[in-house]
Amino acid sequence: MLSINGLRASIDGKEILKGINLEIKPGEVHAIMGPNGSGKSTLASVLAGREEYEVTAGTVTFDGKDLLELAAEQRAAEGIFLAFQYPVEIPGVTTINFLKTAVNEIRKYNGEEPLDAARFLKMVREKAKLVSMNDSLLKRALNEGFSGGEKKRNEIFQMAVLEPKLAILDETDSGLDIDALRIVAEGVNSLRSPERSAIVVTHYQRLLDYIVPDFVHVLYKGRIVKSGGKELAFELEEKGYDWIKAEVEAQEVN
Amino acid sequence: MSTETIDLRTKLITDFHARESVMNGEAKSAFHQKKRAAFTQFETLGFPTPKNEEWKYSNVRDLISASYNFNTSDTLSAEDLIDLKMPEQAANILYFVNGHYNPALSTVVSSTDQIIIDSLQNAYKNNPDLVNSYFDELVKNDSDAFTSLNTAFAHDGVFIYVPNNQTVEHPVILRFVSDARVENVASQPRNIIAVGKNAHVKIAEAFRTIGDERSFTNVVTEINVGEEAGVEYYKVQNESENAYHIGTTQVRMLEKSHFYAATVTLNGKFTRNNLNIVIDGEHCEAHMYGLYFPDGTQHVDNHTVADHSKPNSESNELYKGILRDKSKGVFNGKIFVRPDAQKTNAFQSCKNIVLSNDATMYTKPQLEIFADDVKCSHGTTTGQIDEEALFYMRSRGISKAEAMSLLMFAFCADVVSQIKIDSIREYLENVIAEKLSRK
Ligand SMILES: Nc1ncnc2c1ncn2[C@@H]1O[C@H](COP(=O)(O)OP(=O)(O)OP(=O)(O)O)[C@@H](O)[C@H]1O
Ligand SMILES: [Mg+2]
């Protein structure tokens, strides 16, 4: 489904991603962990099509298409969704109106008729219930004045509405209380299917109790330096990153 | 000064004398004496040049270099209104065509004990003393040539009088149409609005053009806001690519009154709006909203004054602009806090989105504070569309163009949503949406 090969990316002349290789098959969930500043959000942004980052080497294919050739909105229409680490506040645009535009623009891209208002509302209500999203939030300006947890929940709600093939969750768990964490995880799990995949960026093993990953990767200094099964997350939780950093440094010396 | 500028001024001077010479007894009336005084002021002032600080960024050379017919007759028929359609609403709707009141096209639905709505001409005929007690009482003719010119030639416009304690249910919509289908036309409407104690009313002035020749509108509106009164006043401009508009709205507020203004300029070649509010009472609230959205080579200049002369009042101002292509915008906001006006709260903000490298926005807040116990703030921003917001929306599948359009519509909505006359608000939303879809 997603195949990343030798991906390098920089911003303002500073290289952040230094050769990423990652293969994600349909139905798989990959967790990405790693110390602060190692490039996790950068990878997520590059995949979603943020133009500020310059891709200097490597390829990314998604369902056989050259992802790097596509604009952000085309990637979304192809089925990529990024739940932002820091969702943006958009004054004056209600969540509901925003989503309606998004849904219909994606349908247009895929040659489908726009959803009529009634069907759209019905669908949105169902999805809102799924993530226990309060109706009143939908009528407010997108993320404006939302609490940290409400913003994160809104990301998952949008994901549920857009039903992406590949969801990239960038620290969706941080700032959530225990109940919200469970709700968010249920939202993600309800989307799991043999065709859908996810990349879950997190600092905490806790989330992975709810969203059980097939693989865990450690990103450090712009590279994936270690990969394993879900038990790797436990190991990291217990031992921190020092041992991995030491391993990397030892290799750099060699 | 070019020869053409002398021409328009000379022509106006000749016109004035010609009118005066056929006046007989009326020339001695108090009404005419005011006009004559203003005329003398105009003769002295002449048209402003960019050397005049108040006109630094707005050059009227182009405006005064053409000739205009100032004496057109009313030429509009009901069929012509099709192009000028606005959403329907139960309202008092008055048409002024090239400055002349058109009773055939107009409808007044409110009862006369709630509100007197008449053309200035009729009102003066029927009730000269009442009209004269308000005419030219608020404006200053000695500093602004266009205002003195309007006063000198004041002939028609609207006269609105709301007696004490009346809350007028239906809004008043004044539609000023310049008919520039056959020649360059000029009009100088003069509007007088007097709102009594504890009376409430909503009034809109909407300016449109038909035809492609030049139109020049020089409008002055005087608004008296009585004690404890509430007035909502909207000025809406959607004129032609060849429309020149200069307007002054002069407001005086008395004790415990509220005044809301929204000035929205969506189209027109050259626009200058002066909104001057004198807060002449305690516990008043003045709100000024503005929106301008020029494109092509259009020019929009808003000058505002909040003049606090009494303590314990508040003024609040938000002007917003989107500038495209090679357009120019000017915002000059003055706040005066006079020595007596302790405990004044005065806030001002001007936010702009400049979408092209060739567009320019000039902003100048001017605070002159002579009292010590006051809260004042001002701020201006000029920038592009928020890139973070744009990426967020695009990452959800919304195209860049559509995302920009949503963000800009939301930007405008801060001002447009303040408008409490439904048909006017809807109309503006439609025009803005249409303008946003036209790239
Ligand atoms: N616009 C930018 N200009 C310069 N450096 C940047 C820019 N954006 C990101 N970086 C740098 O790139 C590095 C990687 O940042 P990134 O946000 O991808 O880290 P992260 O792994 O997501 O960290 P965290 O766990 O704290 O979220 C950091 O050192 C960061 O400072
Ligand atoms: Mg991050």
Side-chain angles (χ1 to χ4, degrees):
Chain A
M1 160 173 282
L2 182 77
S3 171
I4 307 176
N5 284 296
L7 181 68
R8 289 173 173 267
S10 39
I11 188 157
D12 299 335
K14 181 181 165 201
E15 187 166 69
I16 313 280
L17 300 183
K18 299 173 179 167
I20 302 266
N21 297 304
L22 185 64
E23 191 71 37
I24 297 179
K25 299 208 169 62
E28 290 178 353
V29 171
H30 291 240
I32 296 185
M33 305 181 82
N36 293 130
S38 58
K40 303 181 297 296
S41 294
T42 303
L43 176 62
S45 296
V46 168
L47 293 177
R50 194 191 272 272
E51 285 161 357
E52 287 92 324
Y53 295 97
E54 193 195 347
V55 174
T56 53
T59 57
V60 182
T61 51
F62 178 66
D63 274 351
K65 292 197 172 90
D66 179 356
L67 195 68
L68 300 176
E69 282 293 300
L70 301 179
E73 57 268 34
Q74 294 171 317
R75 298 182 195 196
E78 293 286 347
I80 287 186
F81 179 92
L82 169 62
F84 283 58
Q85 182 174 2
Y86 305 108
V88 182
E89 299 197 3
I90 306 196
V93 180
T94 60
T95 303
I96 190 93
N97 199 13
F98 169 73
L99 265 180
K100 190 167 167 201
T101 311
V103 165
N104 286 331
E105 289 256 304
I106 291 176
R107 290 178 72 92
K108 189 166 84 189
Y109 178 90
N110 292 313
E112 294 164 347
E113 290 292 304
L115 271 191
D116 65 66
R119 278 176 56 203
F120 174 75
L121 269 181
K122 185 167 175 284
M123 188 261 283
V124 158
R125 291 241 168 78
E126 280 165 16
K127 305 292 186 180
K129 205 177 274 170
L130 191 72
V131 295
S132 308
M133 174 101 167
N134 198 317
D135 262 11
S136 70
L137 287 182
L138 300 181
K139 293 183 200 123
R140 274 168 55 184
L142 188 56
N143 292 330
E144 196 182 32
F146 283 28
S147 75
E150 286 168 343
K151 283 181 184 166
K152 294 299 177 80
R153 201 179 289 209
N154 192 9
E155 295 293 285
I156 296 307
F157 164 65
Q158 291 177 39
M159 183 188 75
V161 169
L162 298 176
E163 300 189 327
K165 285 189 216 150
L166 174 68
I168 306 167
L169 311 183
D170 191 357
E171 295 196 28
T172 303
D173 53 336
S174 48
L176 290 184
D177 64 43
I178 301 291
D179 290 339
L181 184 70
R182 208 186 52 245
I183 289 163
V184 161
E186 278 167 9
V188 174
N189 287 332
S190 73
L191 274 184
R192 278 184 94 155
S193 80
E195 305 88 57
R196 293 184 210 283
S197 313
I199 297 174
V200 180
V201 175
T202 183
H203 285 294
Y204 307 105
Q205 194 279 326
R206 191 183 58 176
L207 176 70
L208 305 179
D209 282 343
Y210 296 101
I211 307 173
V212 182
D214 299 296
F215 298 95
V216 176
H217 309 279
V218 178
L219 190 65
Y220 178 56
K221 288 190 175 170
R223 275 193 208 96
I224 290 179
V225 295
K226 198 161 199 72
S227 297
K230 59 174 192 264
E231 63 290 343
L232 178 56
F234 286 102
E235 202 174 347
L236 294 171
E237 181 99 344
E238 203 174 300
K239 303 203 284 193
Y241 289 110
D242 282 352
W243 62 287
I244 292 190
K245 290 180 184 171
E247 273 182 29
V248 172
E249 255 98 75
Q251 270 168 12
E252 278 172 0
V253 172
N254 292 341
Chain B
M1 218 184 259
S2 72
T3 46
E4 289 93 355
T5 65
I6 293 168
D7 277 355
L8 183 60
R9 189 163 155 222
T10 313
K11 180 191 158 1
L12 288 163
I13 291 170
T14 316
D15 273 11
F16 187 85
H17 291 304
R19 284 187 189 209
E20 207 171 39
S21 67
V22 295
M23 282 189 96
N24 306 328
E26 175 58 20
K28 294 204 178 63
S29 69
F31 195 68
H32 186 71
Q33 288 311 309
K34 290 179 180 176
K35 293 165 76 160
R36 164 143 272 294
F39 175 71
T40 310
Q41 299 281 10
F42 170 70
E43 276 187 306
T44 319
L45 289 165
F47 288 113
T49 69
K51 282 190 196 129
N52 180 331
E53 195 57 32
E54 294 301 311
W55 292 86
K56 195 170 170 187
Y57 301 109
S58 297
N59 197 331
V60 299
R61 193 182 49 219
D62 189 32
L63 156 64
I64 60 181
S65 68
S67 59
Y68 303 88
N69 187 347
F70 279 80
N71 301 304
T72 52
S73 49
D74 182 352
T75 43
L76 213 62
S77 67
E79 289 108 78
D80 297 325
L81 297 184
I82 293 166
D83 288 345
L84 303 171
K85 242 177 131 59
M86 278 188 168
E88 285 184 18
Q89 174 172 13
N92 302 289
I93 301 177
L94 280 80
Y95 277 85
F96 296 85
V97 181
N98 292 340
H100 307 284
Y101 176 54
N102 182 324
L105 298 177
S106 304
T107 36
V108 172
V109 294
S110 296
S111 70
T112 47
D113 42 306
Q114 267 206 338
I115 183 171
I116 296 170
I117 309 172
D118 208 344
S119 72
L120 182 63
Q121 240 188 358
N122 288 340
Y124 182 65
K125 253 181 234 145
N126 301 334
N127 219 334
D129 292 340
L130 181 68
V131 172
N132 199 40
S133 69
Y134 291 108
F135 173 65
D136 198 34
E137 289 300 303
L138 302 186
V139 296
K140 296 185 189 72
N141 292 302
D142 57 350
S143 53
D144 183 74
F146 288 99
T147 303
S148 54
L149 187 63
N150 178 289
T151 304
F153 285 89
H155 176 64
D156 212 350
V158 79
F159 179 79
I160 295 176
Y161 179 84
V162 187
N164 295 348
N165 303 314
Q166 294 295 335
T167 293
V168 185
E169 182 198 350
H170 293 109
V172 182
I173 299 175
L174 308 170
R175 304 202 53 185
F176 297 91
V177 181
S178 290
D179 182 355
R181 285 177 295 187
V182 294
E183 59 180 332
N184 290 353
V185 294
S187 59
Q188 304 202 66
R190 178 65 164 237
N191 303 318
I192 293 172
I193 298 167
V195 181
K197 183 173 178 177
N198 187 34
H200 296 82
V201 66
K202 299 185 183 79
I203 299 168
E205 296 177 348
F207 294 86
R208 300 290 299 273
T209 328
I210 53 172
D212 299 324
E213 303 305 318
R214 275 188 187 218
S215 64
F216 166 32
T217 304
N218 179 32
V219 57
V220 172
T221 299
E222 297 180 273
I223 306 179
N224 296 268
V225 186
E227 286 173 26
E228 293 165 47
V231 176
E232 318 236 354
Y233 165 80
Y234 312 121
K235 180 169 181 176
V236 172
Q237 296 159 307
N238 186 20
E239 300 184 78
S240 79
E241 300 304 322
N242 235 341
Y244 294 77
H245 183 118
I246 298 199
T248 293
T249 298
Q250 186 76 40
V251 185
R252 180 171 177 231
M253 298 174 68
L254 299 183
E255 203 112 316
K256 292 184 185 150
S257 64
H258 289 205
F259 179 74
Y260 289 81
T263 306
V264 180
T265 310
L266 297 181
N267 221 52
K269 169 89 181 145
F270 180 94
T271 306
R272 164 67 174 260
N273 294 314
N274 302 309
L275 173 60
N276 306 328
I277 302 179
V278 177
I279 300 168
D280 207 2
E282 291 192 47
H283 306 289
C284 291
E285 253 184 59
H287 297 268
M288 291 176 262
Y289 295 93
L291 176 69
Y292 38 95
F293 191 172
D295 48 29
T297 57
Q298 296 177 357
H299 181 106
V300 184
D301 177 347
N302 279 291
H303 270 57
T304 66
V305 178
D307 188 346
H308 289 263
S309 55
K310 296 276 162 65
N312 294 311
S313 285
E314 178 178 327
S315 67
N316 210 327
E317 178 167 22
L318 174 65
Y319 270 65
K320 300 185 94 173
I322 300 176
L323 293 93
R324 295 202 289 212
D325 307 329
K326 295 182 171 165
S327 62
K328 283 196 169 58
V330 182
F331 172 78
N332 179 303
K334 295 185 183 67
I335 297 174
F336 295 109
V337 181
R338 306 289 175 189
D340 275 353
Q342 297 294 358
K343 307 253 186 244
T344 287
N345 286 341
F347 308 109
Q348 181 189 90
S349 163
C350 177
K351 297 181 178 168
N352 301 284
I353 297 176
V354 179
L355 291 170
S356 134
N357 287 333
D358 299 320
T360 319
M361 182 69 212
Y362 304 95
T363 52
K364 188 176 179 193
Q366 256 176 286
L367 274 58
E368 297 190 26
I369 298 169
F370 305 102
D372 46 31
D373 185 12
V374 300
K375 272 196 204 119
C376 286
S377 75
H378 68 91
T380 60
T381 58
T382 297
Q384 275 91 35
I385 282 278
D386 178 1
E387 288 293 333
E388 289 292 312
L390 209 53
F391 175 62
Y392 187 76
M393 297 175 92
R394 295 177 71 189
S395 79
R396 298 298 183 253
I398 301 175
S399 68
K400 189 173 178 182
E402 185 63 28
M404 298 260 289
S405 168
L406 271 176
L407 290 172
M408 286 191 276
F409 193 85
F411 179 85
C412 297
D414 279 350
V415 170
V416 174
S417 65
Q418 298 297 330
I419 293 178
K420 304 289 177 348
I421 302 179
D422 295 344
S423 62
I424 297 284
R425 191 182 57 251
E426 270 168 48
Y427 170 73
L428 291 173
E429 285 167 351
N430 294 342
V431 177
I432 290 167
E434 198 261 322
K435 226 179 140 145
L436 285 171
S437 68
R438 171 168 28 105
K439 288 287 135 37

